[in-house]
Amino acid sequence: MRDAARSGLAVGFFDGVHLGHQAILRRASAALTFRSHPLSVIAPEKAPRLLMTFEERLAAIRACGVEDVTVLDFTPSLASMGPGEFIARHMTQALRDGIVHCGDNWRFGKDGTGDAKLLERCGIKVDVVPYAQYEGRRISSTRIRAALEAGEIAAATAMLGAPWTAKGELFAGKGEGARIGCPTVNLKMKDVSLRLRCGVYAVEVMRKPGVANYGTAPTFGERAWDSPVLEIHFIDGLPTVGPGKPWKVSFLGFAREERRFACAEDLRKQISADIADLWYNHNR
């Protein structure tokens, strides 16, 4: 059932569906977005590393109460379309209630020449939603990406309005964690284009707390990973995840950078200290 307080069309790419995006989406009864980021077609070398997969973004848009979502494939043909043609072909048919909700920096049409003022000149009412802010600066997907890549998990969580999550595929490890009394679940991160900072994180999977190392495990020398792996040591037992299903990991905090220890025993002691620092000392 449509919320009577909602009306109009929310427009944007909405990567991360952060607090600023949510402010736009919660005013609308419908949304218009793109399957892939426009820069992936216009200037692939400048395309951002995304916070979400398309499926995750679509689910997050709908979680804001917008069930009617129009998804356009951003193609070279669409990129060359003038703003007037874009309105006629895509916005008029997607518009339901005579108003468009967008951010101040939203642009459309060839070379980004369409904006809120152009929509108004075309007789379409526009609601330019004020930026959401964090620590006195506007929230943006770019800012959240930078925070995650720097290990600034608390800042990213505050701007997203919830912990950042990523999916991982379970695979058999080498048993090094079990040998030092800290057994781990090993995940290959799926569809994560961010350059997540290598280091130790507080994580949760289905409300089960854990401490995770994202990296190559250099302490084990020749038995280290060739590329970064997420190794999670769970504190209160393993979560129940269906066979063959990806593990959805929430990142809650960052403790330290990954480093090589002199021996496995030193690593074991540090893991105990990480657990205390990330969970017990903060009453998590």
Side-chain angles (χ1 to χ4, degrees):
M1 181 179 297
R2 179 178 290 187
D3 185 345
R6 295 173 177 265
S7 66
L9 180 71
V11 290
F13 187 70
F14 303 123
D15 184 32
V17 191
H18 57 60
L19 291 180
H21 296 148
Q22 293 170 34
I24 296 170
L25 290 162
R26 287 178 176 148
R27 300 181 184 211
S29 57
L32 175 66
T33 191
F34 301 105
R35 188 177 303 275
S36 57
H37 197 282
L39 282 176
S40 67
V41 171
I42 298 170
E45 72 283 359
K46 297 180 180 179
R49 297 179 291 275
L50 300 180
L51 297 165
M52 289 177 160
T53 65
F54 166 70
E55 292 77 14
E56 291 168 340
R57 180 161 48 90
L58 191 59
I61 290 171
R62 288 176 171 154
C64 290
V66 180
E67 295 181 2
D68 184 2
V69 184
T70 298
V71 178
L72 301 179
D73 289 314
F74 200 92
T75 62
S77 175
L78 189 64
S80 65
M81 189 178 293
E85 185 180 359
F86 182 84
I87 292 170
R89 286 196 175 200
H90 299 295
M91 294 196 67
T92 301
Q93 66 186 39
L95 190 60
R96 297 290 183 267
D97 303 301
I99 184 170
V100 168
H101 306 278
C102 63
D104 181 68
N105 63 343
W106 187 66
R107 300 291 184 270
F108 64 96
K110 184 179 179 181
D111 299 326
T113 51
D115 58 11
K117 291 181 179 179
L118 177 61
L119 287 173
E120 290 175 337
R121 289 198 297 272
C122 292
I124 298 174
K125 186 177 179 181
V126 183
D127 169 34
V128 178
V129 181
Y131 291 123
Q133 294 197 351
Y134 172 69
E135 293 188 340
R137 296 167 51 208
R138 77 178 182 90
I139 294 172
S140 69
S141 300
T142 299
R143 192 177 170 198
I144 294 168
R145 292 182 199 111
L148 288 169
E149 293 181 353
E152 297 169 358
I153 301 301
T157 299
M159 290 186 282
L160 286 166
W164 180 69
T165 63
K167 291 180 180 177
E169 181 180 330
L170 185 67
F171 73 100
K174 302 172 183 177
E176 301 289 3
R179 273 190 279 275
I180 64 172
C182 299
T184 62
V185 165
N186 307 286
L187 302 178
K188 292 180 180 177
M189 305 309 291
K190 293 171 60 67
D191 305 316
V192 175
S193 60
L194 285 174
R195 294 173 182 166
L196 189 64
R197 185 177 181 182
C198 287
V200 176
Y201 293 84
V203 300
E204 276 188 346
V205 177
M206 299 184 71
R207 298 187 179 181
K208 288 287 189 177
V211 168
N213 184 78
Y214 180 70
T216 59
T219 298
F220 298 106
E222 293 181 354
R223 290 176 62 80
W225 303 112
D226 294 330
S227 58
V229 167
L230 189 70
E231 300 177 272
I232 308 174
H233 174 67
F234 287 98
I235 299 168
D236 298 326
L238 292 175
T240 302
V241 178
K245 292 187 176 181
W247 289 52
K248 187 176 181 180
V249 183
S250 296
F251 287 75
L252 307 182
F254 181 82
R256 60 177 175 82
E257 291 185 342
E258 182 181 46
R259 64 178 185 267
R260 184 169 186 164
F261 291 88
C263 62
E265 176 59 19
D266 287 350
L267 173 59
R268 185 195 66 76
K269 290 178 180 178
Q270 183 60 56
I271 292 172
S272 296
D274 292 335
I275 293 171
D277 180 54
L278 287 170
W279 289 100
Y280 302 132
N281 289 349
H282 297 288
N283 299 313
R284 297 196 70 96

